Amino acid sequence: SYANGASWSAGSQNKDLQDDGGAGCEGSVLNVDNTLFFMEPEGLKRTSMKLYCSRDQGRSWKTSKQVNGDNRGGYRSPPLAAAFLVLT
């Protein structure tokens, strides 16, 4: 939204982000000083959490980092904050 949520433009799919393979897991988004971070699992059962970074309001997500290997993960802010230090 460019109007503080009063109206919305049509959505689009970004090819830089991976699909969760149909597992139906939700992702998590965090905005830190106009840098967006998106985290979601790449594996089944919320494993292989991957963090993406966009510095252009979500038009592209060129930077990514695997944050927990094949371990199970969640959608908490502390891992995002830690990865922020690694990615920037």
Side-chain angles (χ1 to χ4, degrees):
S1 173
Y2 295 101
N4 294 322
S7 62
W8 295 88
S9 59
S12 63
Q13 184 175 357
N14 189 296
K15 303 241 186 272
D16 293 334
L17 300 175
Q18 299 293 317
D19 188 352
D20 69 0
C25 285
E26 296 177 1
S28 178
V29 178
L30 177 68
N31 183 345
V32 178
D33 296 328
N34 292 321
T35 298
L36 296 177
F37 295 93
F38 174 73
M39 179 185 271
E40 76 169 346
E42 286 192 320
L44 298 175
K45 298 183 180 180
R46 295 185 179 168
T47 59
S48 303
M49 299 297 288
K50 192 164 190 178
L51 178 75
Y52 298 86
C53 176
S54 174
R55 293 184 174 93
D56 59 7
Q57 292 77 45
R59 286 186 289 279
S60 65
W61 301 83
K62 301 298 181 189
T63 306
S64 64
K65 178 93 175 157
Q66 191 80 23
V67 295
N68 72 330
D70 290 330
N71 298 316
R72 287 185 59 118
Y75 306 104
R76 300 179 303 263
S77 294
L80 290 173
F84 170 77
L85 297 173
V86 173
L87 292 171
T88 57

